[in-house]
């Protein structure tokens, strides 16, 4: 007789009350859940991590984090302290706007008129993006496609396809468009109209009617150029004030129509200014720049304002919005102002202008609507973009919420009507054009809808698992207890992870739930099947129910212990991965598997006894209220309708019968495997070889980060297009820094924010920079982008270049008036972007105009000015320095550092900030503070750290090959232009590059080590190397087949796939080990009988486990978010391959090659044989 131990008696409820043990484990589970919930309430969102972690062991990654830590936070109103509203409001320099802190404008605020600004939604401008996409072989610039785009926008931006507001139709151009208002002009227009938008089709709307509309609007005052717009004409020709040699004509030689027009404009402006209402807001020393032109707008001074204007021989033809600062209308609204689009040669001429790097305005227009990947040679692309905003006050007045809730959302709302219009246009184009809308006002509802659907599907997966377990276990109580065992393993593991180990929980770790559904169900089936199979073990086992429980518990305990140890061991191999996301997932998965096993051998084991003693019905299967009846009517009906499959209901007091699947496994299934054993073996060997070749030839690292969701979803496809083809999320920057130890950049890693990291500084790294030669070399590096689009493709607006900016060689021309009056360099053309941020350039200007030109400041006499060696501007009546930044040849290190730390240089920087604000370049201020600067020591007599940055052209998403190429190009650029001053160059792209470079090594090592771990665990568990080798053959085959499937599915080795490759061993080992465990402990003497015994006894458990997992995984196929979808696919594939190969490959292998009797046993590991009779 089998005697139960005290532990087994305790689980069975014999030591204390019958329900005590079951309730104890149930309560322990809830205690851990409560602990985790409390942790969530305490830490809030800080408990969860949504960012991908980087390979911190790599020196390239260390350099990047050391740079970020050394650079520190932005200064002033943009730093971390000012994220607090009270801190911001208590700082006189700052103001709180749109839930963030910003610097107060030095210019007075002009009161906005109706819908003149934008609507704020959730503290951000409620911009709308319309993204168009065609198939790869269709050019979106074809006349037919442009016609569909024009039709779509005209409908959307006028009638809004019948969208309703408060029950009544509300047209976009009447009620919602952002408004433009005319300035002072001879036209005397006063009422506003819909302002211009950034439309993909606008450049091609400059037909004769379109040009006339722009001309009329400009004459009415819808322009930012004022009197200068008098130069504009309907013809495409060089401006009439320009000579053939690129110089400006004398004022006397200007056409009379231009001079007459300008006088009328100036007269209108004077009369408007004298009667203008007072403005509100702040005033400062720069009011002279804010409230009047830097060069007063008079007829005599206009030529000075246009100095250098004719250098590029510009056209003065009226232009589409954004293409000209002089000849564009601020109110050209194509849907209502014109009809028809340019075609043929006229359209090609527009494209040629946008591809002309000598014209910054047209280039900027191109980058706003066409992708950075646009090919100017072929004039082809398959994506385009339109952007516009609803009009509002620009303040948080609730209009954004009104717009979203009462106009955008709801039945018949703008979003629904826009989607209907999308479908109509896509149908009309026969699928050639895809239209996708993306807006902050609709983004939340779109993502919320996707999350709700995916959450329902996730719950549906759990329901399906419960239903199948109910069908299989024939008990709602046991099915619920099994689900409890599985579900509670995740929060318990999270409690250990977050509370004990003090780690953050990532989204990827939550997906372990779907993996543990299969593993947990497998354990539950093994234990319960052992309990049922104990009935067939004779009187010795069944003499008392406690001995029966002890037999079943010991049998299942050893089987589950082997698979759990192998699965945990395989996952723990991932703990040594250099990839943090892989490491964390694998460690967490191992904890979940272990916790699930502990719950199974305690709680579910106790629940099995409780069910059998107090809940199980004595009725026979097929009878009402019998096993599987009432809620599980399928089995009841199957028992009545298919007696051959289910077997006849047992007679009263009859001996227990084997279940249908047990009889089926040892009968027809095994007979088929036995008869075709060689066919199955040869077939699977060929399949493994074929898939191995597929993996070797086609498996590649990920080309980009995994997508957010299905490509068929507009919201996720738009995000991908914007990241791949545009820089709407801001141009990336590449930084060059000095002062950090290049080989050992990090002194100490912090526990939280980037600022907690401690960089290792190096005096030697920064000392070369402070020498006169180092200063000159740094200037050369900063000015290198001014080579433009040279043979090395240094700077242009396309991806072929390294630095993002104008392709025309040379630096941005300064605003001469501001430079002479203040000694501050500000680009004359607001669209001109030099492509870099460099404190050294500003220091050279400071030295030229504030140090060398100090004597010139405040001199009011031309004679005194020239006697001091300064220059005099008669028009401005100002004395200014004759020394320029180009004259800077470096200072002695001590003088250089002294100037950097001086109050005079600080005052210069503050004055420059004020002028940037006054001239409409406020956005430059935080960018410059972030992307260039220097740090001095406490005594301010030594430079400790310095950095500059360049706007880069690389896309957000890259292949690993492309990322390595970008790294090499930037290294070459740094070495070429600054060969002697050293330093490091870094950018965020390198984090992805290092991760992808590690992927292949990590995945390969992970799967190899997991297989080795599985082999040693099998050897230890079975004490039989022969059986273990056959098991390894099966597990290796499963892994190889899955590897070969990866490229066939279009997957590549990203962070998810790397986890899959490590997890594939842990998931596939269960079925193999269960079958081997029974085979190895069978008392039958022949291979065939032992294999039959293994399939008969364990086939039902592994099959039910596989079906449970497949049901859960199949629900994920309908999810919208990609990580749900891919994870479901991974689980479904691995489990399908595992169960099929375990039955159709492993069993034939055991029949043909399996050990007989004591073959393969390792005597030192085998203490005793604990077998189970086949009877």
């Amino acid at each position: 007789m089998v005697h139960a131990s005290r532990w087994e008696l305790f689980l069975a409820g014999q030591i204390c009350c019958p329900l005590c043990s079951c309730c104890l484990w149930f309560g322990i589970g809830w205690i851990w859940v409560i602990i985790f919930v409390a942790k969530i309430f305490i830490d809030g969102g800080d408990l969860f991590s949504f960012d991908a972690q980087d390979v911190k062991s790599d020196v390239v990654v260390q350099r990047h984090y050391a740079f970020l830590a050394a650079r520190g936070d932005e200064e002033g109103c943009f730093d971390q302290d000012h994220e607090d509203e009270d801190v911001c409001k208590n700082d006189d320099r700052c103001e709180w706007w749109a839930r963030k802190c910003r610097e107060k404008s030095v210019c007075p605020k002009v009161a906005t008129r109706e819908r003149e600004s934008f609507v704020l939604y959730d503290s951000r401008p409620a911009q709308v993006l319309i993204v168009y996409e065609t198939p790869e072989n269709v050019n979106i610039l074809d006349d037919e496609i442009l016609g569909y785009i024009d039709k779509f926008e005209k409908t959307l931006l006028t009638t809004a396809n019948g969208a309703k507001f408060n029950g009544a139709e509300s047209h976009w151009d009447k009620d919602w468009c952002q408004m433009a208002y005319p300035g002072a002009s001879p036209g005397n227009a006063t009422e506003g109209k819909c302002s211009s938008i950034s439309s993909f089709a606008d450049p091609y709307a400059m037909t004769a009617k379109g040009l006339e509309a722009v001309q009329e609007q400009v004459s009415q005052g819808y322009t930012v150029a004022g009197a200068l717009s008098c130069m504009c004409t309907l013809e495409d020709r060089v401006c009439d004030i320009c000579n053939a040699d690129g110089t400006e004509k004398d004022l006397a030689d200007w056409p009379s129509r231009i001079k007459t027009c300008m006088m009328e404009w100036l007269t209108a402006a004077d009369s408007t200014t004298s009667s203008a209402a007072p403005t509100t807001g702040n005033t400062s020393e720069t009011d002279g720049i804010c409230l009047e032109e830097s060069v007063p707008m008079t007829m005599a001074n206009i030529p000075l304002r246009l100095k250098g204007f004719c250098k590029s021989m510009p056209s003065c033809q009226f232009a589409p919005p954004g293409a000209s600062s002089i000849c564009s209308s601020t109110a050209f609204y194509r849907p209502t102002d014109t009809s028809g689009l340019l075609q043929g040669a006229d359209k090609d001429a527009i494209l040629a202008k946008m591809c002309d790097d000598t014209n910054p305005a047209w280039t900027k227009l191109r980058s706003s609507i066409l992708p950075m990947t646009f090919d100017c040679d072929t004039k082809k692309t398959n994506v385009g973009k339109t952007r516009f905003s609803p009009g509002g006050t620009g303040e948080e007045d609730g209009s954004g919420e009104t717009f979203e809730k009462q106009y955008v959302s709801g039945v018949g709302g703008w979003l629904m009507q826009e989607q209907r219009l999308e479908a109509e246009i896509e149908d009309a184009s026969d699928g050639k054009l895809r239209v996708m809308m993306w807006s902050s006002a609709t983004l939340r509802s779109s993502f919320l809808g996707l999350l709700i659907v995916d959450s329902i599907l996730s719950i549906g997966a759990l329901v399906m698992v419960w239903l199948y377990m109910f069908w299989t276990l024939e008990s709602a109580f046991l099915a619920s207890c099994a689900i409890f065992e599985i579900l509670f393993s995740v929060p318990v593991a999270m409690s250990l992870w977050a509370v004990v180990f003090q780690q953050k929980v990532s989204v990827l770790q939550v997906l372990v739930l779907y993996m543990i559904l299969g593993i947990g169900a497998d354990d539950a089936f093994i234990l319960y099947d052992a309990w049922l199979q104990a009935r067939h073990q004779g009187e010795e086992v069944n003499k008392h129910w406690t001995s029966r429980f002890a037999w079943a518990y010991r049998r299942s305990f050893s089987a589950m212990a082997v698979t759990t140890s192998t699965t945990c061991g395989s996952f723990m191999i991932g703990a040594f991965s250099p990839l943090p996301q892989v490491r964390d997932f694998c460690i967490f998965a191992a904890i979940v598997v272990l916790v699930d096993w502990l719950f199974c051998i305690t709680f579910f084991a106790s629940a099995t006894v409780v069910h059998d003693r107090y809940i199980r019905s004595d009725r026979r299967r097929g009878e009402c209220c019998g096993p599987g009846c009432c809620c599980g009517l399928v089995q009841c009906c199957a028992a009545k309708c298919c007696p051959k499959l289910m077997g006849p209901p047992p007679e009263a007091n009859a001996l227990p019968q084997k279940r249908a699947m047990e009889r089926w496994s040892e009968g027809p299934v095994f007979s088929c495997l036995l008869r075709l054993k060689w066919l199955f073996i040869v077939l699977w060997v060929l399949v493994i070889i074929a898939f191995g070749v597929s993996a070797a030839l086609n498996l590649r690292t990920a080309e980009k980060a995994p997508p957010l969701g299905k490509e068929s979803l507009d919201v996720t496809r738009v995000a991908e297009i914007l990241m791949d083809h545009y820089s709407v999320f801001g141009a990336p920057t590449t930084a060059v820094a000095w002062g950090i130890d290049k080989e050992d950049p990090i002194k100490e890693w912090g526990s939280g924010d980037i600022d907690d990291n401690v960089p290792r500084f190096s005096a030697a790294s920064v000392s070369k920079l402070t020498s006169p030669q180092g200063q000159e070399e740094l200037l050369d590096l900063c000015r290198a982008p001014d080579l433009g689009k040279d043979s090395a493709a240094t700077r242009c607006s396309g991806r072929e270049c390294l630095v993002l900016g104008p392709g025309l060689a040379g630096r941005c021309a300064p605003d001469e008036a501001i430079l002479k009056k203040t000694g501050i360099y500000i680009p004359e053309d607001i669209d001109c972007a030099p492509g870099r941020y460099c404190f050294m350039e500003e220091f050279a200007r400071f030295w030229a105009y504030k140090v060398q030109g100090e004597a010139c400041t405040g001199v009011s006499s031309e004679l005194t000015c020239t006697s001091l060696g300064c220059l005099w501007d008669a028009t401005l009546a100002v004395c200014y320095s004759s020394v320029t930044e180009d004259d800077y040849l470096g200072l002695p290190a001590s003088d250089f550092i002294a100037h950097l730390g001086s109050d005079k240089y600080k005052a210069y920087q503050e004055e420059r900030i004020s002028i940037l604000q006054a001239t409409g370049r406020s956005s430059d201020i935080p960018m410059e503070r972030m992307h260039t600067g220097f740090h001095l020591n406490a005594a301010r007599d030594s430079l400790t750290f310095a950095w500059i940055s360049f706007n880069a052209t690389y896309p957000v998403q890259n292949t690993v090959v492309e990322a390595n190429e970008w790294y090499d190009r930037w290294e070459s650029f740094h070495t070429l232009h600054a060969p002697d001053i050293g330093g490091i160059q870094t950018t965020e792209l390198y984090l992805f590059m290092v991760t992808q470079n590690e992927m292949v090594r990590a995945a390969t090592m992970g799967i190899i080590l997991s297989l080795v771990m599985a082999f040693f665990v099998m050897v230890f568990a079975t004490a039989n190397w022969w059986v273990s080798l056959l098991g390894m053959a099966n597990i290796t085959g499963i892994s190889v087949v899955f590897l070969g499937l990866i490229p066939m599915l279009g997957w590549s080795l990203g962070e998810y796939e790397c986890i899959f490759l490590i997890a594939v061993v842990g998931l596939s080992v269960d079925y193999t080990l269960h079958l081997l465990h029974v085979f190895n402990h069978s008392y039958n003497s022949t291979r065939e009988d032992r294999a039959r015994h293994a399939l008969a006894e364990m086939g039902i458990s592994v099959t039910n486990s596989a079906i449970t997992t497949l049901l859960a995984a199949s629900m994920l196929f309908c999810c919208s978010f990609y990580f749900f979808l891919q994870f479901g696919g991974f689980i479904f594939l691995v489990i399908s391959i595992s169960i099929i190969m375990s039955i159709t490959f492993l069993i034939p292998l055991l029949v043909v090659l399996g050990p007989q009797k004591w073959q393969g046993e390792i005597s030192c590991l085998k203490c005793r044989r604990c077998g189970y009779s086949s009877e």
Side-chain angles (χ1 to χ4, degrees):
M1 178 178 177
V2 179
H3 296 282
S5 66
R6 291 186 62 82
W7 169 252
E8 290 162 346
L9 291 174
F10 170 73
L11 292 175
Q14 288 295 93
I15 294 181
C16 49
C17 66
L19 296 176
C20 182
S21 178
C22 186
C23 294
L24 173 65
W25 307 118
F26 186 77
I28 290 175
W30 273 109
I31 289 173
W32 281 104
V33 171
I34 293 170
I35 291 174
F36 181 64
V37 172
K39 181 70 173 176
I40 294 176
F41 276 104
I42 294 172
D43 293 355
D46 293 337
L47 179 61
F48 300 92
S49 173
F50 301 96
D51 299 324
Q53 299 175 349
D54 303 305
V55 185
K56 293 183 178 180
S57 59
D58 189 275
V59 70
V60 174
V61 174
Q62 292 175 8
R63 289 171 188 167
H64 185 73
Y65 279 103
F67 161 71
L68 295 179
R71 183 187 67 183
D73 206 355
E74 297 178 51
E75 298 178 357
C77 303
F78 303 96
D79 63 19
Q80 191 170 7
D81 292 337
H82 284 77
E83 292 177 2
D84 183 274
E85 184 175 357
D86 293 333
V87 173
C88 179
K89 289 181 176 179
N90 290 331
D91 192 329
D92 293 336
R93 303 169 301 167
C94 311
E95 63 179 353
W96 188 258
W97 179 82
R99 298 185 191 176
K100 62 183 180 181
C101 195
R102 68 178 184 181
E103 291 188 349
K104 288 181 180 177
S105 173
V106 298
C107 294
K109 294 181 181 177
V110 179
T112 57
R113 288 161 285 190
E114 182 185 6
R115 302 206 321 261
E116 188 175 13
S117 187
F118 42 77
V119 166
L120 279 183
Y121 177 76
D122 196 21
S123 302
R124 294 177 179 85
Q127 290 190 348
V128 179
L129 289 177
I130 305 294
V131 175
Y132 305 102
E133 184 180 24
T134 59
E136 289 289 343
N137 61 339
V138 177
N139 186 5
I140 201 171
L141 295 171
D142 288 347
D143 295 337
E144 179 188 7
I145 303 301
L146 285 174
Y148 290 123
I149 292 174
D150 183 46
K151 180 180 179 181
F152 172 81
E153 292 187 0
K154 283 195 171 183
T155 304
L156 181 68
L157 297 173
T158 52
T159 65
N161 205 32
K164 295 182 179 180
F165 177 72
N166 289 335
E169 283 196 12
S170 179
H171 292 188
W172 184 271
D173 60 327
K174 301 297 183 184
D175 303 326
W176 300 100
C177 68
Q178 195 168 352
M179 301 288 286
Y181 291 86
S185 69
N188 294 320
T190 57
E191 294 186 1
K193 67 182 297 290
C194 288
S195 66
S196 301
I197 66 173
S198 174
S199 170
F200 182 76
D202 273 1
Y204 321 108
M206 293 297 100
T207 59
K209 184 177 180 180
L211 290 171
E212 290 171 0
V214 175
Q215 181 185 39
E216 181 182 358
Q217 291 163 9
V218 169
S219 68
Q220 293 174 346
Y222 292 102
T223 177
V224 296
L228 299 182
S229 62
C230 292
M231 298 185 295
C232 303
T233 63
L234 292 173
E235 295 80 22
D236 187 9
R237 65 170 187 262
V238 176
C239 294
D240 292 337
I241 69 166
C242 297
N243 292 312
D245 61 356
T247 60
E248 295 80 27
K249 295 178 180 178
D250 293 335
L251 180 60
D253 296 329
W254 288 13
S256 58
R257 68 167 184 84
I258 294 179
K259 291 188 286 188
T260 302
C261 174
M262 286 184 173
M263 287 302 300
E264 293 175 351
W265 273 83
L266 295 173
T267 301
D270 288 342
S271 62
T272 302
T273 303
S274 61
S275 60
T279 58
T280 62
N282 311 304
T283 58
S284 72
E285 297 176 355
T286 56
D287 283 351
I289 296 176
C290 296
L291 302 179
E292 60 184 66
E293 303 289 347
S294 57
V295 178
M297 184 68 87
T298 64
M299 200 63 199
N301 287 339
I302 284 179
L304 181 60
R305 287 180 56 85
L306 295 173
K307 184 178 180 180
F309 173 75
C310 294
K311 183 178 179 181
S312 60
M313 301 298 288
S315 170
C316 275
Q317 184 183 32
F318 288 107
S324 173
S325 59
I326 293 177
C327 298
S328 291
S329 165
T330 58
F332 179 73
Y333 196 67
R334 192 187 78 259
T336 57
D337 294 347
T338 187
S339 60
L341 298 175
L342 296 174
Q343 298 181 359
D346 294 330
K347 182 178 68 176
D348 291 339
I350 292 293
L351 291 171
K353 289 183 179 181
M354 288 195 284
C355 288
D356 183 4
D357 284 329
T358 64
N359 193 323
W362 278 95
T363 303
K364 186 176 181 180
L365 174 62
R366 184 186 86 197
S367 64
S368 67
I369 59 175
L370 287 168
M372 292 185 69
T373 52
F374 177 68
D375 189 343
C376 280
D377 294 328
T378 62
K379 307 292 191 299
K380 291 182 178 180
T381 184
N382 73 315
V383 293
K385 173 171 68 72
T386 289
R387 177 176 54 85
F388 58 93
S389 300
T393 62
E395 302 292 338
E396 293 189 89
D397 55 4
S399 57
E401 285 65 28
T402 299
F403 172 71
E404 193 274 334
K405 294 178 181 178
Q406 299 185 32
Y407 186 57
V408 174
S409 303
V411 178
W414 186 74
L415 177 59
M416 179 178 288
Q417 298 305 112
E418 187 275 339
Q419 291 174 337
R420 288 178 178 174
L421 183 60
E422 281 183 14
E424 292 173 9
I425 295 297
E426 290 172 3
D427 289 342
S429 68
D430 292 329
K432 293 180 181 178
L433 177 66
R434 181 179 179 182
V435 185
M436 297 165 282
M437 192 268 290
W438 207 66
S439 168
S440 57
T442 61
L443 200 58
R444 178 184 296 176
S445 58
S446 298
F447 271 108
L448 184 60
L450 297 180
L451 282 172
I452 290 173
V453 172
D454 285 4
S455 299
I456 292 173
L457 290 170
S458 301
I459 296 172
L462 299 178
V463 172
M464 289 191 69
V465 170
W466 185 90
L467 289 173
Y468 184 78
M469 295 188 80
F470 174 74
W471 145 267
T472 305
L473 300 176
E474 300 178 335
S475 166
F477 173 77
L478 284 179
S480 301
C481 289
I483 287 292
F484 169 86
E485 164 219 321
I486 296 168
L487 291 184
F488 274 53
S489 63
V490 176
V492 170
M494 285 184 175
S495 297
L496 294 170
W497 182 259
V499 179
V500 179
F501 300 121
Q502 294 294 305
Q503 299 294 315
K504 290 188 176 183
V505 178
S506 70
V507 176
L508 202 58
Q509 289 170 318
V510 177
L511 295 178
V512 172
L513 172 63
Y514 297 94
M515 186 185 68
I516 201 62
L517 279 172
I519 297 174
D522 179 58
D523 289 346
F525 287 132
I526 294 295
L527 195 150
Y528 188 67
D529 288 341
W531 172 255
L532 295 181
Q533 290 167 359
R535 297 177 301 178
H536 307 292
Q537 300 307 312
E539 185 178 351
E540 182 179 354
V541 171
N542 289 278
K543 189 172 184 180
H544 191 267
W545 69 266
T546 56
S547 61
R548 178 185 168 198
F549 174 77
W551 185 92
Y553 187 78
R554 293 170 191 176
R555 173 197 179 278
S556 58
F557 184 93
S558 59
M560 291 187 294
V562 171
T563 55
T564 299
S565 59
T566 308
T567 305
C568 288
S570 299
F571 279 122
M572 287 306 295
I573 292 298
F576 302 100
S577 173
L579 303 173
Q581 57 268 44
V582 175
R583 179 193 65 221
D584 291 350
F585 178 89
C586 290
I587 296 175
F588 181 76
I591 296 173
V592 172
V593 172
L594 180 62
V595 171
D596 174 76
W597 176 69
L598 292 174
F599 267 109
C600 188
I601 63 173
T602 53
F603 170 73
F604 190 74
S606 300
T608 303
V609 175
V610 171
H611 170 263
D612 194 75
R613 296 188 64 190
Y614 303 107
I615 299 176
R616 184 176 63 86
S617 171
D618 290 330
R619 293 178 178 270
R620 296 180 296 169
R621 183 183 290 108
E623 293 182 348
C624 185
C625 298
C629 190
C630 295
C631 294
L633 290 175
V634 178
Q635 284 206 12
C636 179
C637 295
K640 294 289 187 182
C641 302
C642 305
K644 290 184 178 181
L645 174 66
M646 303 298 295
E651 299 297 331
N653 301 319
L655 292 174
Q657 297 179 351
K658 291 185 177 182
R659 288 164 290 176
M661 191 175 292
E662 290 174 309
R663 297 193 299 271
W664 188 60
S665 296
E666 68 177 349
V669 174
F670 184 79
S671 297
C672 177
L673 295 174
L674 182 64
R675 186 172 63 255
L676 304 175
K677 55 183 178 294
W678 282 109
L679 176 62
F680 280 115
I681 291 174
V682 172
L683 177 63
W684 277 114
V685 169
L686 293 176
V687 168
I688 292 169
I689 293 173
F691 279 84
V693 172
S694 170
L697 295 179
N698 303 312
L699 198 58
R700 297 290 184 269
T701 54
E703 294 188 354
K704 55 186 179 180
L708 187 61
K710 294 179 180 177
E711 191 172 295
S712 59
L713 297 172
D714 286 358
V715 67
T716 55
R717 180 57 185 156
V718 169
E720 283 194 46
I721 290 176
L722 295 179
M723 288 189 290
D724 287 343
H725 300 282
Y726 293 93
S727 57
V728 293
F729 301 113
T733 58
T734 298
V736 184
W738 295 265
I740 294 174
D741 190 308
K742 190 173 184 178
E743 303 304 324
D744 189 15
I746 290 290
K747 184 177 181 180
E748 182 181 347
W749 287 105
S751 58
D753 296 332
I754 290 174
D755 293 338
D756 294 337
N757 301 325
V758 181
R760 191 182 305 279
F761 292 103
S762 170
S765 172
V766 78
S767 60
K768 294 180 181 179
L769 196 67
T770 58
S771 68
Q773 296 79 9
Q775 297 165 43
E776 284 192 81
E777 194 169 302
L778 178 55
L779 276 174
D780 291 340
L781 178 62
C782 291
R783 293 166 177 167
D786 291 335
L787 294 170
K789 194 174 182 180
D790 57 354
S791 59
T794 301
R795 184 183 69 190
C796 69
S797 58
R799 290 274 159 77
E800 67 271 23
C801 293
L802 200 62
V803 180
L804 180 64
L808 188 65
R811 71 187 67 160
C812 298
D815 187 312
E816 294 283 354
I818 293 178
L819 182 63
K820 292 173 180 178
K821 291 170 67 175
T822 65
I824 304 293
Y825 167 88
I826 301 293
E828 181 182 38
D829 187 347
I830 197 170
D831 293 324
C832 188
R836 79 275 191 159
Y837 305 92
C838 180
F839 77 92
M840 193 64 217
E841 280 191 297
E842 283 310 316
F843 181 83
R845 292 161 185 157
F846 162 77
W847 171 84
Y849 302 115
K850 296 297 187 180
V851 177
Q852 297 298 311
E854 183 176 15
C856 309
T857 305
V859 176
S860 57
S861 165
E862 180 178 2
L863 182 61
T864 305
C865 178
T866 54
S867 67
L868 293 173
C870 305
L871 299 177
W872 178 262
D873 187 300
T875 303
L876 298 174
V878 64
C879 182
Y880 62 97
S881 175
S882 59
V883 181
T884 70
E885 60 182 284
D886 293 326
D887 298 321
Y888 185 79
L889 299 177
L891 298 176
S894 58
D895 294 344
F896 175 58
I897 294 172
H899 279 303
L900 287 177
S902 66
D903 292 336
K904 188 173 184 179
Y905 185 61
K906 183 178 180 181
Y908 167 82
Q909 292 176 305
E910 291 174 350
E911 182 182 6
R912 183 170 180 274
I913 288 172
S914 297
I915 293 177
L916 284 172
Q917 290 180 320
T919 53
R921 303 185 75 108
S922 297
S923 59
D924 289 352
I925 299 170
M927 298 298 288
E928 290 186 2
R929 285 176 171 169
M930 177 184 294
H931 296 307
T932 187
F934 58 88
H935 296 324
L936 302 176
N937 63 354
R940 303 189 71 78
D941 60 2
S942 177
L943 187 66
T944 59
F945 180 70
W947 76 99
I948 63 173
S949 301
F950 300 91
N951 286 333
T953 59
Y954 66 79
V956 175
Q957 301 189 105
N958 293 264
T959 67
V960 65
V961 174
E962 290 170 343
N964 282 290
E965 288 176 353
W966 285 115
Y967 178 84
D968 293 338
R969 287 185 66 185
W970 276 108
E971 277 287 291
S972 299
F973 174 81
H974 178 205
T975 304
L976 175 65
H977 298 290
D980 299 321
I981 55 177
I984 62 169
Q985 62 92 8
T986 184
T987 185
E988 192 171 1
L989 173 65
Y990 301 160
L991 304 181
F992 167 81
M993 176 190 72
V994 170
T995 299
Q996 294 304 309
N997 287 335
E998 287 284 351
M999 281 294 179
V1000 176
R1001 188 180 70 85
T1004 304
M1005 291 301 297
I1007 199 168
I1008 292 174
L1009 292 176
S1010 295
L1011 287 171
V1012 172
M1013 170 68 74
F1015 176 73
F1016 281 108
V1017 172
M1018 283 191 292
V1019 169
F1020 182 81
T1022 63
N1024 191 305
W1025 60 266
W1026 195 322
V1027 168
S1028 299
L1029 282 177
L1030 293 177
M1032 273 297 294
N1034 191 57
I1035 296 171
T1036 304
I1038 294 169
S1039 303
V1040 171
V1041 172
F1042 178 74
L1043 274 172
L1045 276 174
I1046 289 179
M1048 293 182 181
L1049 295 170
W1051 296 357
S1052 51
L1053 287 181
E1055 59 184 78
Y1056 296 165
E1057 292 81 4
C1058 189
I1059 293 172
F1060 296 164
L1061 292 182
I1062 296 174
V1064 68
V1065 177
L1067 288 178
S1068 62
V1069 75
D1070 280 18
Y1071 307 145
T1072 299
L1073 267 178
H1074 285 317
L1075 291 169
L1076 291 179
H1077 183 76
V1078 178
F1079 179 92
N1080 194 54
H1081 289 82
S1082 175
Y1083 278 129
N1084 292 296
S1085 57
T1086 66
R1087 299 187 183 106
E1088 180 181 324
D1089 290 339
R1090 295 173 75 181
R1092 184 192 301 273
H1093 180 203
L1095 188 61
E1097 191 167 297
M1098 198 56 68
I1100 183 172
S1101 300
V1102 296
T1103 303
N1104 283 332
S1105 172
I1107 293 173
T1108 304
T1109 310
L1110 294 176
L1111 286 174
S1114 63
M1115 295 296 290
L1116 298 182
F1117 291 161
C1118 302
C1119 289
S1120 304
F1121 289 102
Y1122 186 75
F1123 60 87
F1124 281 132
L1125 178 66
Q1126 192 179 25
F1127 200 82
F1130 157 69
I1131 294 176
F1132 193 92
L1133 284 174
V1134 171
I1135 296 302
S1136 298
I1137 298 168
S1138 298
I1139 188 63
I1140 293 172
M1141 288 191 68
S1142 296
I1143 292 176
T1144 62
F1145 183 53
L1146 179 61
I1147 294 297
L1149 276 180
L1150 292 173
V1151 170
V1152 174
L1153 301 174
Q1156 301 190 86
K1157 296 184 178 179
W1158 314 108
Q1159 289 178 337
E1161 287 190 356
I1162 304 174
S1163 56
C1164 62
L1165 294 178
K1166 202 165 190 70
C1167 300
R1168 64 185 183 92
R1169 286 184 60 85
C1170 299
Y1172 308 103
S1173 171
S1174 60
E1175 296 301 318

